[in-house]
Amino acid sequence: MIWNEKIECMERDELEELQLKRLQETVKRAFDKIPYYNKKYTENNVFPEDIETLKDIEKLPFITKDDLRESYPFGLFAVDRKKITEVHSSSGTTGKPVVSGYTPKDLDTWSETIARGLTMMGLGEEDIIQNTHGYGLFTGGFGVHYGSHKIGATIIPISTGQTRRQIEIMKDFGTTCLIFTPSYGIHLGEVAIEEGIDPKELGVKAIGFGAEMWTEEIRQKVENIFGAKAYNIYGLTELMGPGVGIECEAQNGLHIPEDIYYPEIIDPNTLKNLGPNEKGELVLTNLYREGMPIIRFRTKDITSITYEPCECGRTLARMSRITGRSDDMIKVKGVAIFPSQIETALLKAGDVEPHYLIIVTRPHVLDEIEVKVEASKDIFFDGVKEMVNVKDKIAKSIENETGIRVKVTLVEPKSLPRFEGKAKRVIDKRNLH
């Protein structure tokens, strides 16, 4: 089933006509209603009437998180604050938080994007969705919540934590879909097994996950634990929340609702636009947002986009899984690497659990990197010789994947921290400032 076949299967020329109309309306409204955009565009000598084609979007300057923080709290609202019926925010751990405001129309648009995605996952009004994402200022919980209402499913807004209670509810309520971060999903499965419950027998038929970096090996681990397909969900607080991209049954890229978000891929160094299937930084523009339109936002997420129709029948663009960020790569010994590369190497090596910690230090003048990883129960108690062999195998796998040598430390099973939200995989102890 396709939730909105008219839009999701639209011919490209018809879609681009709709996108251009909405882009022109959005740019004009932002210019007229939001002082930030008026000042920024005037300084760059670009005005709403200059947007005559979709390619003309490249004339517009980018917006970044710093710009959003400088506009804290309500400086980017395009409507009177009284028309904003809901506000969400980022954590603000690296400065002032980013505030996101929604009108009733925006909330309906948001729920529409999630409704499309949940339908891609094979869900409908017969399903019971257990949502472990947070229900605070974080957008994750609410996006899924509104989309569940839209498709008529039953939502269990359990939020984060209460792991044993989560398992009890899954069993008692007949949960058919789980929404979680990959790391918390694995933890949930581990606890279920400790309780003598086989997660495969709980009746879960679909899993929606995201909100942190992961690899295909982690997806396979999640699917093996629960015996159900796991679908990638992508979104950002700045643009609206989850729903910017969601996978269909084919699990071959995340469908972007292009009538609502306009995607671009740029080279993060030159800031020039790249073509289809070229990997670079994702830039997004709200095309249909009333309360707080964000235009050409640099997400810092690294991906690529294909415009080839999907085997599911949808014609909207698909983005590949995020493989890193242009601003969170670890540069060690002059080599730029992403944590996801190390995760891939660990899981290829085998004999370890998907729980690890990357510690970067600079004790003297050279960078050093240590990877702490939980050994499997069998290996950890098999003696020193076997442990050394496993460590060497992991170190070699990481070197093959990243091109650098690292120190590998095997630690006891369940000794590394578990995370109910986004997993913190990297501790950088270098003084780089």
Side-chain angles (χ1 to χ4, degrees):
M1 178 182 168
I2 297 176
W3 176 257
N4 189 336
E5 190 167 349
K6 180 182 177 183
I7 293 291
E8 295 179 74
C9 301
M10 188 178 280
E11 294 294 332
R12 175 70 32 192
D13 57 351
E14 187 182 358
L15 174 62
E16 289 181 351
E17 188 178 325
L18 174 64
Q19 287 178 313
L20 178 58
K21 177 176 179 290
R22 289 184 171 180
L23 176 63
Q24 290 169 330
E25 291 171 348
T26 297
V27 171
K28 180 163 178 34
R29 191 169 73 257
F31 186 84
D32 291 345
K33 301 289 187 181
I34 305 173
Y36 165 85
Y37 283 113
N38 189 296
K39 182 174 182 289
K40 189 92 167 177
Y41 291 177
T42 300
E43 288 174 349
N44 283 270
N45 198 32
V46 60
F47 302 94
E49 55 269 25
D50 296 327
I51 307 302
E52 298 177 334
T53 69
L54 282 174
K55 186 168 176 56
D56 287 335
I57 195 173
E58 295 176 32
K59 298 176 181 178
L60 301 172
F62 297 107
I63 187 170
T64 67
K65 268 194 172 174
D66 288 340
D67 296 312
L68 271 65
R69 290 187 182 111
E70 287 173 13
S71 301
Y72 176 88
F74 305 144
L76 287 174
F77 288 179
V79 298
D80 188 279
R81 203 273 312 152
K82 293 191 294 292
K83 293 184 178 179
I84 298 290
T85 57
E86 188 164 315
V87 174
H88 288 278
S89 173
S90 68
S91 62
T93 54
T94 56
K96 281 186 180 295
V98 170
V99 174
S100 200
Y102 308 77
T103 65
K105 179 184 173 185
D106 293 332
L107 294 177
D108 186 64
T109 300
W110 191 10
S111 66
E112 165 71 15
T113 64
I114 299 292
R116 294 181 195 178
L118 294 176
T119 305
M120 288 180 207
M121 294 160 56
L123 302 172
E125 60 184 13
E126 300 296 325
D127 287 290
I128 299 175
I129 300 174
Q130 187 163 328
N131 188 9
T132 77
H133 281 335
Y135 273 78
L137 287 173
F138 174 55
T139 56
F142 285 88
V144 171
H145 193 94
Y146 297 142
S148 299
H149 286 179
K150 193 90 167 175
I151 66 171
T154 299
I155 184 80
I156 305 173
I158 192 167
S159 195
T160 306
Q162 310 175 74
T163 301
R164 283 174 170 76
R165 177 71 169 144
Q166 299 261 13
I167 296 163
E168 181 183 344
I169 285 178
M170 287 167 62
K171 189 169 64 170
D172 294 345
F173 290 15
T175 299
T176 59
C177 172
L178 283 170
I179 306 292
F180 51 51
T181 61
S183 55
Y184 184 57
I186 291 172
H187 177 56
L188 199 61
E190 288 175 341
V191 174
I193 292 168
E194 287 174 4
E195 297 285 307
I197 297 168
D198 183 354
K200 291 188 180 70
E201 295 180 358
L202 289 172
V204 174
K205 74 176 190 182
I207 292 164
F209 73 161
E212 68 182 17
M213 295 296 298
W214 54 273
T215 60
E216 284 299 330
E217 288 83 0
I218 286 291
R219 188 213 295 267
Q220 290 167 16
K221 176 87 173 177
V222 168
E223 292 185 339
N224 289 338
I225 288 172
F226 291 96
K229 274 195 168 187
Y231 300 92
N232 192 0
I233 299 176
Y234 173 77
L236 307 95
T237 298
E238 295 83 359
L239 271 291
M240 192 88 81
V244 172
I246 301 180
E247 284 182 319
C248 68
E249 179 74 14
Q251 295 178 307
N252 187 25
L254 297 87
H255 290 272
I256 302 172
E258 290 183 272
D259 56 316
I260 295 167
Y261 303 107
Y262 185 78
E264 303 171 77
I265 298 292
I266 65 167
D267 182 316
N269 298 312
T270 67
L271 305 184
K272 299 297 183 184
N273 280 55
L274 301 176
N277 303 308
E278 291 189 271
K279 186 164 283 193
E281 181 183 330
L282 178 65
V283 173
L284 290 167
T285 295
N286 286 125
L287 293 178
Y288 200 58
R289 188 173 181 184
E290 185 177 55
M292 187 179 157
I294 300 298
I295 302 169
R296 297 203 86 197
F297 178 71
R298 290 190 61 184
T299 68
K300 302 300 180 76
D301 288 325
I302 302 299
T303 184
S304 62
I305 293 177
T306 180
Y307 294 91
E308 293 295 320
C310 181
E311 64 184 73
C312 72
R314 295 174 179 84
T315 56
L316 298 179
R318 284 170 289 143
M319 57 181 279
S320 62
R321 176 177 59 82
I322 301 298
T323 54
R325 286 179 57 83
S326 60
D327 63 350
D328 79 345
M329 61 184 179
I330 311 166
K331 203 156 190 178
V332 182
K333 301 177 183 177
V335 179
I337 59 173
F338 288 106
S340 57
Q341 291 176 283
I342 290 181
E343 179 171 292
T344 296
L346 287 176
L347 293 170
K348 280 181 180 176
D351 296 319
V352 295
E353 297 299 323
H355 301 291
Y356 64 95
L357 196 60
I358 303 165
I359 302 170
V360 188
T361 56
R362 185 177 289 170
H364 303 292
V365 294
L366 296 177
D367 294 335
E368 293 181 6
I369 183 167
E370 177 186 12
V371 179
K372 290 186 175 181
V373 58
E374 289 184 4
S376 66
K377 287 182 180 179
D378 293 339
I379 292 298
F380 193 79
F381 297 107
D382 273 352
V384 174
K385 183 178 179 181
E386 188 60 31
M387 292 273 281
V388 170
N389 289 339
V390 171
K391 282 172 57 175
D392 290 345
K393 185 167 68 169
I394 292 171
K396 188 65 178 175
S397 181
I398 292 174
E399 185 176 358
N400 289 340
E401 189 72 27
T402 66
I404 63 170
R405 293 183 180 181
V406 304
K407 175 186 176 183
V408 175
T409 303
L410 292 181
V411 299
E412 189 172 352
K414 302 187 186 304
S415 63
L416 292 179
R418 301 296 193 260
F419 301 89
E420 294 177 344
K422 289 189 180 183
K424 184 174 176 58
R425 302 293 195 191
V426 181
I427 298 177
D428 195 335
K429 296 183 176 181
R430 298 172 295 178
N431 182 6
L432 300 177
H433 302 289

